[in-house]
Amino acid sequence: MEGAGYRVVFEKGGVYLHTSAKKHQDPDSLIAGVIRVVEKDNDVLLHWAPVEEAGDSTQIFFSKKDTSGSDSCTSEEEPTFDPGYEPDWAVISTVRPRPRHSEPTRGAEPSSPRGSWAFSVSLGELKSIRRSKPGLSWAYLVLVTQAGGSLPALHFHRGGTHALLRVLSRYLLLASSPQDSRLYLVFPHDSSALSSSFHHLQLFDQDSSNVVSRFLQDPYSTTFGSFSRVTNFFRGALQPHPEGASPDLPPPPDDEPEPGFEVISCVELGPRPAVERAPPVTEEEWARHVGPEGRLQRVPELKARIFSGGLSPGLRREAWKFLLGYLSWESSAEEHKAHVRKKTDEYFRMKLQWKSVSPEQERRNSLLHGYRSLIERDVSRTDRTNKFYEGPENPGLGLLNDILLTYCMYHFDLGYVQGMSDLLSPILYVIQNEVDAFWCFCGFMELVHGNFEESQETMKRQLGQLLLLLRVLDAPLCDFLDSQDSGSLCFCFRWLLIWFKREFPFPDVLRLWEVLWTGLPGPNLHLLVACAILDMERDTLMLSGFGSNEILKHINELTMKLSVEDVLTRAEALYRQLTACPELPHNVQEVLGLAPPAEPRSPSPPVSPLSLSPTRAPPAPQPPADTAAQPDSSLEILPEEEEEEGANS
């Protein structure tokens, strides 16, 4: 389309501004518009204008380039909101487009409410272009000017981001940032600017003032001399490309959806169902599930009750042995006794392995010495405000120490990692027997041992799964966190590492864990618990204007202020809301345990603990007589007053 002094070289409709931070955008917060690239008066402009209900989609007004840099054109104050994008990109509540002198032609009038959102910017004023993450919402682009301001984020409801970037690449060099593949740095087509960009990106150790000329004159020696420091784009930018093609953006067929980040459709979740928690399972109710030989009956029904209500404090000591795989749900009472005798012998044979190491031997065993030192340090500060562990000579501290050192003998490859004492402490508090607590702890570690592996692959995978669930449940919240450099959800790391041990009061941790140990309703309920906490804090995070530091501070200050019943209720409601969606993506179904993985992956934690395998230690002779008194350390140690406290918890 051409007119007096201008030519439209690109036009795309269905490009919206989202003017609300609400989870679900209402029609009034969506402003439909048209994006155009216009050649005008020896300049190239990027122009967006709204499509007025009574107007023509081809009607636009163009802007003169503002050389004064002053805001001489006033308009009504835009409504305050924060759509939640990248830092320094399109936080519209704080960075407004600079008003410009305009030459209105036919079309949207600047005085109209929606017309006030129109903007036009010279391509020479652009500093960077940021594209959205691959996700389940509409793709968007955010443009940042040389002055540091952000233009409103452009949401492409009908696709077209690749097409626009291909057109822009005719006039600009779009370089993928070495630090962020979603960020395109914008440079004009001249070697001086490109040389300056090399200098600012520090792609070369030496002076980069003549790097471009050296590339053009002697590409081989220059390339091989600094090859490891050059991004893929700059290696390609110095090679000829077909006109209009960007070396970093291969043109996809127009009829096919854009790969990677262009997802046009959204997942529409239904209403969130109401959920009510049940009362805890009592000892009388548990007894009704015990058969004539001591075998538990109707186990799925019993697990469902534990999931919906938890356990009464007096029942935990017995029930946790089943939930953690120490005792089999199918075995009789006599079989349980035989199993306990076997496991008791196993435990003390492993304990003897480190107990029999002399101080002189330990000096030559740096691994054992390191474990002992780390365990002693962690145990000395684990739950010391709990009466069960308070005081300098508390026997509970000695049992924590002995169980953790014995676990190093049980699992040589993993050993001890900081945080394990947090997982053992509630178990020992409830079980109050050294041997039984050890095997229950082993059952718990079967679920979470990947959290403590040095590679951290399990933790990375869980954070990725958490982000996936949160993006389906609340894409605007994800965008907001992403805009504040918190999109990786690293502030949730401690939650997942030790299963919220430090986020809830001690009695609530007991309730939370026994519910999670049921494995219901799926294998990753702990991820939905994290989603529930973020959902509860959503408005506080988004409406308070928090930055990354404030977000981290706020999350840390939630410690001991959360209600476990409220969180569990919301987590179950989120699960039901997701599973009721008929178009739930397959990768989300995998996380929820509704579908098998599409391809083999590293094994996920099982739904419930597997039966514990025999210890890896080779058979050893019976301990000598002078060590026969060691089993006494597994005697009951909770004073009478502690039982009363446990019953009240």
Side-chain angles (χ1 to χ4, degrees):
M1 181 174 67
E2 297 188 10
Y6 71 87
R7 183 170 73 94
V8 177
V9 296
F10 175 81
E11 179 176 285
K12 179 67 179 177
V15 181
Y16 286 69
L17 300 187
H18 292 190
T19 63
S20 172
K22 293 180 180 179
K23 184 182 302 186
H24 302 292
Q25 300 282 335
D26 55 72
D28 292 336
S29 68
L30 299 178
I31 303 180
V34 179
I35 189 73
R36 295 179 175 90
V37 178
V38 182
E39 294 179 349
K40 182 176 184 290
D41 298 335
N42 298 321
D43 196 4
V44 183
L45 305 174
L46 184 67
H47 178 83
W48 181 90
V51 179
E52 298 295 332
E53 294 179 357
D56 184 347
S57 64
T58 63
Q59 296 173 350
I60 62 174
F61 66 92
F62 298 115
S63 302
K64 285 184 177 179
K65 191 170 182 178
D66 183 1
T67 56
S68 65
S70 62
D71 297 345
S72 58
C73 188
T74 60
S75 62
E76 291 186 20
E77 184 73 12
E78 283 95 337
T80 302
F81 64 92
D82 184 353
Y85 297 102
E86 311 294 338
D88 302 324
W89 296 281
V91 181
I92 305 178
S93 61
T94 57
V95 181
R96 295 174 53 188
R98 285 192 299 170
R100 298 178 177 275
H101 297 288
S102 60
E103 295 178 348
T105 64
R106 302 174 304 143
E109 299 182 5
S111 59
S112 65
R114 296 202 169 197
S116 65
W117 289 101
F119 65 85
S120 181
V121 62
S122 170
L123 297 190
E125 295 183 20
L126 294 180
K127 179 180 180 181
S128 63
I129 301 174
R130 189 170 185 82
R131 73 185 191 191
S132 56
K133 281 185 177 180
L136 301 170
S137 55
W138 293 296
Y140 63 81
L141 296 177
V142 179
L143 292 84
V144 180
T145 65
Q146 295 286 351
S150 311
L151 298 173
L154 302 172
H155 292 256
F156 290 73
H157 286 206
R158 303 174 192 167
T161 53
H162 271 195
L164 175 59
L165 291 173
R166 286 201 303 273
V167 172
L168 295 180
S169 69
R170 301 178 191 173
Y171 307 96
L172 304 166
L173 286 177
L174 302 180
S176 292
S177 168
Q179 287 78 29
D180 189 344
S181 62
R182 297 187 294 117
L183 178 64
Y184 291 105
L185 306 178
V186 176
F187 305 102
H189 280 297
D190 65 82
S191 60
S192 61
L194 186 57
S195 176
S196 176
S197 71
F198 278 126
H199 173 73
H200 289 298
L201 291 174
Q202 298 180 347
L203 296 178
F204 298 88
D205 293 321
Q206 65 270 34
D207 179 26
S208 59
S209 59
N210 63 341
V211 64
V212 175
S213 61
R214 287 190 287 112
F215 256 100
L216 297 175
Q217 296 171 7
D218 189 3
Y220 294 98
S221 60
T222 308
T223 299
F224 286 108
S226 303
F227 190 76
S228 62
R229 302 285 302 276
V230 184
T231 64
N232 290 334
F233 175 83
F234 283 114
R235 291 200 300 271
L238 298 174
Q239 300 173 0
H241 293 276
E243 183 178 357
S246 169
D248 201 38
L249 296 171
D254 294 336
D255 296 334
E256 297 183 8
E258 299 182 17
F261 62 90
E262 187 74 15
V263 182
I264 299 175
S265 60
C266 294
V267 175
E268 294 292 339
L269 297 179
R272 188 174 300 174
V275 172
E276 292 186 7
R277 299 280 298 164
V281 178
T282 63
E283 297 178 58
E284 294 76 14
E285 184 178 354
W286 178 276
R288 291 197 292 269
H289 286 266
V290 179
E293 297 181 352
R295 300 179 192 272
L296 288 170
Q297 301 173 336
R298 305 186 305 280
V299 172
E301 175 187 334
L302 182 57
K303 284 185 178 181
R305 276 288 292 117
I306 298 173
F307 167 75
S308 64
L311 296 161
S312 60
L315 184 57
R316 285 181 176 138
R317 185 176 178 185
E318 179 180 2
W320 278 24
K321 299 174 186 178
F322 292 90
L323 289 171
L324 289 169
Y326 177 39
L327 299 181
S328 171
W329 295 92
E330 293 79 20
S331 298
S332 66
E334 289 300 319
E335 290 170 333
H336 288 157
K337 292 179 181 179
H339 179 74
V340 169
R341 286 194 296 268
K342 175 184 175 183
K343 289 299 182 181
T344 300
D345 178 65
E346 247 181 82
Y347 173 77
F348 283 109
R349 283 193 285 110
M350 287 187 292
K351 184 175 181 178
L352 181 61
Q353 291 176 0
W354 64 265
K355 290 281 282 186
S356 60
V357 175
S358 66
E360 184 179 353
Q361 287 177 301
E362 187 170 326
R363 284 196 296 269
R364 295 190 294 270
N365 189 333
S366 59
L367 186 61
L368 178 61
H369 179 74
Y371 285 152
R372 187 191 294 273
S373 300
L374 185 58
I375 289 171
E376 288 177 354
R377 185 186 67 185
D378 286 356
V379 163
S380 66
R381 56 192 185 188
T382 299
D383 292 326
R384 296 308 302 274
T385 58
N386 189 308
K387 290 184 179 180
F388 189 74
Y389 297 110
E390 69 180 3
E393 302 297 331
N394 192 299
L397 299 180
L399 293 184
L400 281 176
N401 182 87
D402 289 0
I403 292 174
L404 291 171
L405 273 171
T406 305
Y407 185 78
C408 294
M409 302 294 105
Y410 172 78
H411 201 316
F412 288 109
D413 292 337
L414 186 59
Y416 177 80
V417 181
Q418 189 173 16
M420 290 183 181
S421 60
D422 280 290
L423 301 184
L424 173 60
S425 170
I427 294 176
L428 182 59
Y429 171 85
V430 169
I431 302 299
Q432 299 176 33
N433 177 284
E434 180 181 359
V435 174
D436 295 346
F438 171 82
W439 290 112
C440 287
F441 173 69
C442 290
F444 196 3
M445 288 302 299
E446 286 290 319
L447 289 174
V448 299
H449 70 87
N451 293 2
F452 299 94
E453 292 174 350
E454 186 176 1
S455 68
Q456 291 291 293
E457 289 301 320
T458 299
M459 290 300 299
K460 293 175 186 176
R461 184 180 73 248
Q462 289 181 84
L463 287 171
Q465 291 172 336
L466 174 58
L467 181 60
L468 175 65
L469 292 176
L470 192 63
R471 183 158 292 280
V472 176
L473 290 165
D474 195 342
L477 176 58
C478 279
D479 288 339
F480 168 77
L481 294 173
D482 200 26
S483 74
Q484 304 303 323
D485 287 339
S486 300
S488 62
L489 303 181
C490 287
F491 53 84
C492 300
F493 186 90
R494 187 178 71 185
W495 295 0
L496 306 183
L497 179 70
I498 53 177
W499 277 28
F500 310 94
K501 165 62 165 52
R502 299 185 186 178
E503 318 311 319
F504 293 93
F506 199 85
D508 284 1
V509 172
L510 309 183
R511 173 61 46 81
L512 174 65
W513 283 4
E514 63 200 14
V515 170
L516 295 177
W517 290 335
T518 64
L520 299 174
N524 288 306
L525 180 62
H526 66 296
L527 300 182
L528 289 172
V529 169
C531 288
I533 296 175
L534 294 175
D535 186 69
M536 294 168 68
E537 300 300 316
R538 177 186 195 273
D539 292 342
T540 301
L541 293 173
M542 295 187 67
L543 301 180
S544 299
F546 285 162
S548 58
N549 292 335
E550 290 81 8
I551 291 174
L552 180 60
K553 181 175 181 289
H554 178 75
I555 294 298
N556 286 336
E557 289 176 348
L558 294 177
T559 300
M560 304 301 161
K561 298 178 182 178
L562 298 168
S563 166
V564 71
E565 291 297 331
D566 291 345
V567 171
L568 286 172
T569 299
R570 191 170 299 227
E572 185 178 355
L574 293 177
Y575 178 84
R576 294 186 184 181
Q577 184 182 24
L578 288 170
T579 55
C581 177
E583 299 178 354
L584 198 64
H586 188 272
N587 53 354
V588 179
Q589 295 183 44
E590 291 178 19
V591 175
L592 298 177
L594 303 176
E599 57 187 36
R601 298 178 181 177
S602 57
S604 301
V607 173
S608 58
L610 301 175
S611 300
L612 296 172
S613 57
T615 176
R616 303 176 186 178
Q622 293 296 325
D626 58 350
T627 62
Q630 289 175 359
D632 292 342
S633 62
S634 67
L635 298 177
E636 317 302 329
I637 62 176
L638 186 67
E640 186 69 25
E641 60 181 12
E642 298 300 337
E643 292 186 2
E644 296 175 1
E645 179 187 346
N648 295 330
S649 66

